[in-house]
Amino acid sequence: MADRAELPPSLVRNPELDQWLTIDAEATVTLRTGKVELGQGILTALTLILADELGVEPVRVRVAVTRTGVAPNELVTAGSMSIEQSGAALRQAGAWARRLLLAQAATVLDADVATLDIADGIISAPGGNQTVSIWELQGGRDFGTTIDELAPERSPTEHRWVGRGMLRVDLEPKLRGAGVFLQDLELTGLCHARVIRPPGPNHRLARFDRSRIEREPGLLGVVVDGSFLAVLAESEYDAIRIAGRASAAARWHDAERLPEVADLSAYLVANESAAFPLREGVPVEAEVPPLTWPLGARRVVAEYSRPYLMHASLAPSAAVALLNLDGHLTVWSHSQGIELLRGCLARALRMDTDKISVVHTAGAGCYGHNGADDVALDAALCARALPGRPVMLQWTRQQEHQWEPYGPAAHVRMEAALDERGRICGWSHDVWGFTHMGRPMPGGDGLNLLAAGHLAEPIPRAVPRPALRAEVGIHRNAWPIYALHAPRVVKRFVADSPLRTSSLRALGAHANVFAIESFMDELALAAGHDPVEFRMNHLDDRRARAVLERVVALAGGLDCPSPGTGTGTGTCTYTKPSRGRGVAVARYKNQASYAAVVVQVAVDPDSATISAEQVWIAADAGQVIDPDGLVNQLEGGAVQSLSWTLKEAVEFGRDGVTSTDWDSYPILRFSEVPEVMTVLIDRPEEPSLGAGEATQGPTAAALGNAVFAATGLRLRDLPMTPERLRRTAAGPGDA
Amino acid sequence: MRVIVNGVSHELDVDRNVPLLHVLRDALGLKSVKLGCGLEQCGACKVLVDGAPEFSCRRTVGEFEGMSLVTLEGFANETLHPIQQALLDHNAAQCGYCLSGILIAARALFDANPRPSRREIQIALDDHLCRCGAQPRILNAFCELSANG
């Protein structure tokens, strides 16, 4: 038996072949995965992988609903790891099933197993006279086999669908307006609930005058548990209307206000922090090495920052919960981690885990850990008040904006030295940030579900701790991709965040790559080198070099072809219409996909508005499974990053978050999106790499570099709003 | 009160003060109409009202008495409407929550002008937020439809 450590981690956790697939009775194959569709197209890619490996047409593959206790447990759909984890597991499951089916067929057909293969579920004896189908052999029956070694997989040359792709399996029903989202669930006896949140993060309910809503038509119940307040009603609009009345009937104690934060960077740097130097990308508990520089070297210093950002899902988070009369609780959720949620619900509700099922149901895109898990507890608390009836609870838009766990702010201080030939001879990167690890975890000392802290017997949030694994959280992509001598990289973990934070797509990679790749342009300028040439001079990784070369070729270089062009030398003004291009490159987590991005901006002198006109992307995700799905993820990541980088900041005062809707938290609109062109470097011989978070960092830096090319103004603090551009142009001390 | 929805006349026994969206979703079961903000800020709730795209999340059903409404359910039977087909052919979506509103706006645009420019398409869709960043391929899909129209 081979070493189980060679098996994909998802198979080590879920080794039974029947956990992954079933050869159905009716000429179809059921695929089971613990990863969930978030709009990223994962179910399409997994379908392609299994179809090819087993030997059936993709239309025969049906994806089962992901439900706790039934689907393989793959923890969380996050970190751009679904292809690497679930894809690897399903490929092995397909290879195992094929091997077992061919062995059976060899007996039935009295043929040498080495001469047999499966083509759309049919196995033919040599000569083709005798055939047997996998449905005849195995239809509707379990394999009863444990995967304990690697089965031989098909070579890329045998793939018919992997690398070619297909139309998204989930798209047509969405285009037809079929009720496929959780918010559309229709269950017998379904009723609706709304939660009434405290006016600020620390307020406690003082008094609730129930009599003021008791006669409201449609009211089914009121839940008051500590400071958790919710109303249940027959229809959704009844719930909305009554929640409005209930809000007016609630009185709250005065609460401790949030700290005064005029400048997030200053707050991060001044606050108590724990420092961890990185060794080859891994934070260690050790003395922070002092800054030392070669004698006579030229030093360059720059500091960068990003604010808190919102996931800002287009749909407010929602869940449906049903407490059966036998005491079993079923929760329909768009959580990224239904098994973790199940364990956390059990803790919050003080129930046995096996008395709870969580069924994944599609939500709007979440881009990380948003309110999905929190609202599941809200709905469950309401369902307990009305056993036997399913209760749907959706947050309001304002609640989503004000209560979701935000992507944390960060501050980055870069310092480097250049030798006389203009090569980097010293490198330092300090990154300050709050935790990105806010997901609810069943173990540990606290519970990261919002309402758990509001209950009469509250369970507080887990104390944030610095994550010290490679490439997570604050230090994701802090380690440079460049071949540098003894880089000094320090993670500085600030525990005390004014706002609740968790994982937002790309985690620390957005701020760190923005800083590194902006800084590389600043160093290139200081060295008097072209930005691309300067990068190439320090880049050994051939795949990184390849995407950088490809993207520059795709864009036709970094000079703008049209009049009003910035030349890259910078004019330190935006008083004339100007254009510029910038480039950046990174490998996500220094272990997933490579992406290089060129952005072209136009700067309008009257409004000081920066517009992204064109984006070019070159990416290497190893073996490509679904080319268009991959392009879609890379493009979407780039557009979302443009929105973050140009426009977004969670604003808050001492009484809470003031970014409460789309007017106070604007995001990129149709009139503002650029044209995007993407090329893929397919490497069928290399493992497939996650790509959903590959372009956010490079896009942010390419944008800043393009603004510099257009105006000579270096924007180091995000977002790059007109106000920021004006202040930067006004000069130091003000910016 | 009476409204015509997707060509069918409905006599509704509802509170006239309920926002149209909730009547469409709950009383008529038209789940394509999406609640995204309830503030007329995101466009997910738009429906065609006498051919023009309108928000349905705040305005009350009483304001639409006697009017002819179209939701996404009224677009297609067996075959998709060309604007739906254009998005399907381009995999022009990620999560898809915004699609219904976008298709409503695009339908109104293409009904009025079968050959809109890219800029005209952008303007017509500018009430609609898409958080996944699928806008470039949605625009490409509609630009191609325009070129072939």
Side-chain angles (χ1 to χ4, degrees):
Chain A
M1 194 175 86
D3 185 357
R4 278 169 55 88
E6 291 176 16
L7 291 172
S10 286
L11 279 180
V12 174
R13 190 173 280 112
N14 308 278
E16 300 304 316
L17 177 55
D18 298 313
Q19 290 180 282
W20 295 94
L21 63 87
T22 300
I23 310 297
D24 303 324
E26 300 289 326
T28 55
V29 175
T30 297
L31 177 162
R32 277 181 289 275
T33 170
K35 301 294 185 181
V36 298
E37 181 64 53
L38 309 169
Q40 81 281 42
I42 187 63
L43 300 184
T44 306
L46 296 177
T47 294
L48 297 169
I49 289 172
L50 181 63
D52 261 353
E53 198 57 49
L54 185 59
V56 296
E57 295 296 300
V59 291
R60 297 193 187 275
V61 177
R62 288 159 193 238
V63 182
V65 169
T66 302
R67 183 186 185 102
T68 53
V70 180
N73 180 359
E74 296 192 83
L75 302 181
V76 190
T77 305
S80 296
M81 294 190 291
S82 296
I83 292 282
E84 296 173 28
Q85 294 179 352
S86 210
L90 278 160
R91 180 169 279 164
Q92 266 301 305
W96 265 80
R98 188 177 78 246
R99 185 163 71 177
L100 293 167
L101 291 162
L102 290 178
Q104 289 183 48
T107 308
V108 171
L109 300 173
D110 193 20
D112 177 2
V113 71
T115 65
L116 301 177
D117 196 5
I118 306 175
D120 197 19
I122 308 295
I123 303 162
S124 306
N129 293 331
Q130 272 194 298
T131 65
V132 64
S133 76
I134 61 173
W135 296 284
E136 291 169 80
L137 291 170
Q138 190 70 33
R141 289 190 293 122
D142 285 348
F143 283 101
T145 300
T146 304
I147 298 175
D148 55 7
E149 58 159 357
L150 292 175
E153 295 173 352
R154 291 189 192 273
S155 76
T157 55
E158 293 177 78
H159 290 153
R160 295 182 55 234
W161 295 96
V162 165
R164 179 171 141 204
M166 61 189 278
L167 291 178
R168 276 263 295 272
V169 296
D170 58 327
L171 190 50
E172 185 168 338
K174 289 175 176 173
L175 282 165
R176 286 182 179 271
V180 297
F181 292 98
L182 190 146
Q183 289 86 348
D184 307 329
L185 269 182
E186 292 183 277
L187 300 168
T188 307
L190 183 73
C191 63
H192 293 265
R194 283 290 191 273
V195 62
I196 296 99
R197 291 282 182 226
N202 300 317
H203 286 78
R204 296 280 144 195
L205 186 63
R207 197 164 52 83
F208 178 66
D209 184 358
R210 215 178 262 256
S211 67
R212 287 177 59 184
I213 60 166
E214 260 164 3
R215 285 188 195 81
E216 288 291 335
L219 181 71
L220 290 173
V222 181
V223 180
V224 184
D225 186 339
S227 295
F228 179 82
L229 174 59
V231 294
L232 288 81
E234 284 292 348
S235 78
E236 185 169 27
Y237 187 68
D238 285 339
I240 293 170
R241 181 175 47 78
I242 298 169
R245 301 271 160 91
S247 180
R251 290 289 169 268
W252 306 86
H253 289 296
D254 287 340
E256 191 190 340
R257 301 172 80 203
L258 295 177
E260 179 83 53
V261 183
D263 178 337
L264 262 172
S265 277
Y267 182 89
L268 276 163
V269 173
N271 218 295
E272 189 179 327
S273 63
F276 303 90
L278 270 61
R279 291 201 186 126
E280 292 300 322
V282 183
V284 291
E285 298 191 54
E287 196 81 354
V288 173
L291 284 165
T292 55
W293 304 105
L295 229 56
R298 202 165 141 211
R299 277 160 60 189
V300 181
V301 185
E303 303 196 29
Y304 306 86
S305 72
R306 82 155 197 183
Y308 292 98
L309 296 175
M310 235 178 246
H311 301 79
S313 178
L314 197 67
S317 294
V320 174
L322 166 62
L323 183 66
N324 273 341
L325 299 176
D326 67 3
H328 192 93
L329 176 71
T330 303
V331 176
W332 289 261
S333 168
H334 52 89
S335 167
Q336 291 179 292
I338 57 172
E339 292 282 356
L340 300 178
L341 174 59
R342 179 197 202 188
C344 290
L345 288 174
R347 267 189 78 190
L349 300 166
R350 296 173 168 86
M351 289 175 69
D352 290 337
T353 304
D354 60 10
K355 289 274 196 286
I356 299 175
S357 305
V358 182
V359 184
H360 182 265
T361 310
C366 60
Y367 328 107
H369 173 220
N370 70 346
D373 297 286
D374 295 320
V375 77
L377 176 56
D378 295 345
L381 289 166
C382 290
R384 271 207 312 209
L386 205 59
R389 287 195 71 174
V391 181
M392 180 179 294
L393 193 152
Q394 184 167 17
W395 284 2
T396 65
R397 170 50 51 198
Q398 293 93 334
Q399 286 171 345
E400 185 77 19
H401 269 58
Q402 286 186 285
W403 291 94
E404 68 143 279
Y406 305 111
H411 181 81
V412 186
R413 184 176 192 278
M414 304 293 307
E415 187 161 358
L418 295 168
D419 66 17
E420 68 283 359
R421 292 171 303 143
R423 287 186 66 98
I424 299 167
C425 59
W427 180 271
S428 171
H429 178 145
D430 288 83
V431 51
W432 287 258
F434 308 113
T435 189
H436 296 247
M437 306 290 136
R439 288 183 191 278
M441 303 303 263
D445 54 356
L447 190 60
N448 290 356
L449 289 175
L450 182 59
H454 292 162
L455 300 177
E457 290 180 56
I459 310 176
R461 290 185 64 69
V463 175
R465 292 195 179 85
L468 299 183
R469 285 171 292 125
E471 295 294 338
V472 293
I474 295 164
H475 61 281
R476 181 165 287 177
N477 278 93
W479 195 256
I481 195 172
Y482 299 100
L484 302 173
H485 175 66
R488 174 194 174 279
V489 182
V490 184
K491 168 184 183 138
R492 296 184 183 273
F493 173 82
V494 182
D496 189 13
S497 169
L499 304 180
R500 185 170 76 125
T501 61
S502 191
S503 301
L504 170 66
R505 201 174 181 190
L507 282 67
H510 179 240
N512 285 317
V513 173
F514 169 63
I516 291 173
E517 288 295 286
S518 296
F519 194 52
M520 285 300 283
D521 260 35
E522 300 205 49
L523 290 173
L525 183 72
H529 288 179
D530 166 80
V532 177
E533 177 199 331
F534 184 76
R535 283 176 174 77
M536 286 294 186
N537 288 344
H538 294 90
L539 198 50
D540 285 351
D541 186 321
R542 68 178 175 92
R543 294 171 72 177
R545 294 176 66 89
V547 291
L548 183 55
E549 276 165 6
R550 276 299 286 279
V551 81
V552 173
L554 184 69
L558 294 186
D559 292 329
C560 288
S562 49
T565 285
T567 59
T569 52
T571 50
C572 296
T573 178
Y574 61 93
T575 53
K576 288 185 296 191
S578 56
R579 287 200 161 79
R581 290 184 181 183
V583 68
V585 62
R587 180 181 197 188
Y588 184 55
K589 300 194 276 189
N590 285 309
Q591 62 200 25
S593 289
Y594 296 83
V597 178
V598 170
V599 174
Q600 176 177 310
V601 299
V603 180
D604 175 66
D606 297 326
S607 63
T609 303
I610 298 161
S611 309
E613 296 185 312
Q614 290 268 349
V615 174
W616 296 268
I617 301 167
D620 170 357
Q623 180 189 40
V624 175
I625 307 296
D626 178 9
D628 193 60
L630 175 56
V631 169
N632 198 352
Q633 280 297 291
L634 294 163
E635 281 176 3
V639 171
Q640 193 171 73
S641 179
L642 290 176
S643 183
W644 292 350
T645 309
L646 281 172
K647 309 188 78 146
E648 297 181 30
V650 178
E651 304 287 353
F652 62 100
R654 297 209 59 196
D655 294 315
V657 170
T658 53
S659 301
T660 59
D661 57 19
W662 298 115
D663 280 349
S664 49
Y665 190 84
I667 65 172
L668 209 65
R669 308 188 80 92
F670 264 97
S671 57
E672 301 168 314
V673 297
E675 295 195 48
V676 186
M677 194 181 289
T678 305
V679 290
L680 303 176
I681 300 177
D682 188 12
R683 298 190 187 275
E685 73 287 0
E686 296 283 352
S688 299
L689 300 171
E693 297 160 286
T695 50
Q696 281 84 348
T699 301
L703 182 69
N705 293 337
V707 172
F708 183 80
T711 64
L713 298 168
R714 174 59 63 180
L715 300 190
R716 301 189 184 95
D717 298 303
L718 303 184
M720 300 181 189
T721 56
E723 187 202 356
R724 190 88 70 188
L725 188 67
R726 287 196 183 103
R727 277 196 288 159
T728 307
D734 235 3
Chain B
M1 62 168 286
R2 180 166 296 274
V3 288
I4 300 155
V5 183
N6 297 329
V8 178
S9 181
H10 294 269
E11 186 62 43
L12 296 172
D13 179 22
V14 293
D15 179 349
R16 294 174 62 91
N17 296 315
V18 176
L20 175 63
L21 172 137
H22 295 287
V23 175
L24 294 174
R25 281 180 63 86
D26 300 338
L28 298 177
L30 299 169
K31 300 294 189 186
S32 77
V33 186
K34 292 287 180 272
L35 177 58
C37 64
L39 304 165
E40 301 189 346
Q41 292 177 355
C42 77
C45 69
K46 280 205 177 180
V47 297
L48 291 175
V49 179
D50 293 333
E54 300 283 355
F55 294 105
S56 69
C57 66
R58 282 180 86 138
R59 291 173 60 191
T60 62
V61 65
E63 294 182 51
F64 298 90
E65 174 139 34
M67 295 184 184
S68 178
L69 313 179
V70 176
T71 69
L72 193 50
E73 287 87 347
F75 274 34
N77 294 311
E78 282 296 294
T79 55
L80 293 173
H81 188 279
I83 64 166
Q84 291 169 306
Q85 190 66 45
L87 296 190
L88 184 68
D89 292 343
H90 283 77
N91 275 333
Q94 286 194 23
C95 81
Y97 199 84
C98 64
L99 283 182
S100 170
I102 286 171
L103 287 162
I104 291 289
R107 173 80 183 265
L109 172 69
F110 278 91
D111 282 352
N113 172 11
R115 305 289 292 270
S117 68
R118 186 182 184 85
R119 197 66 203 160
E120 287 169 328
I121 298 168
Q122 285 180 295
I123 305 259
L125 299 183
D126 218 31
D127 275 350
H128 296 267
L129 299 179
C130 163
R131 184 55 163 165
C132 298
Q135 295 98 332
R137 49 182 56 213
I138 292 170
L139 290 172
N140 288 346
F142 289 149
C143 285
E144 191 176 298
L145 181 66
S146 175
N148 296 334

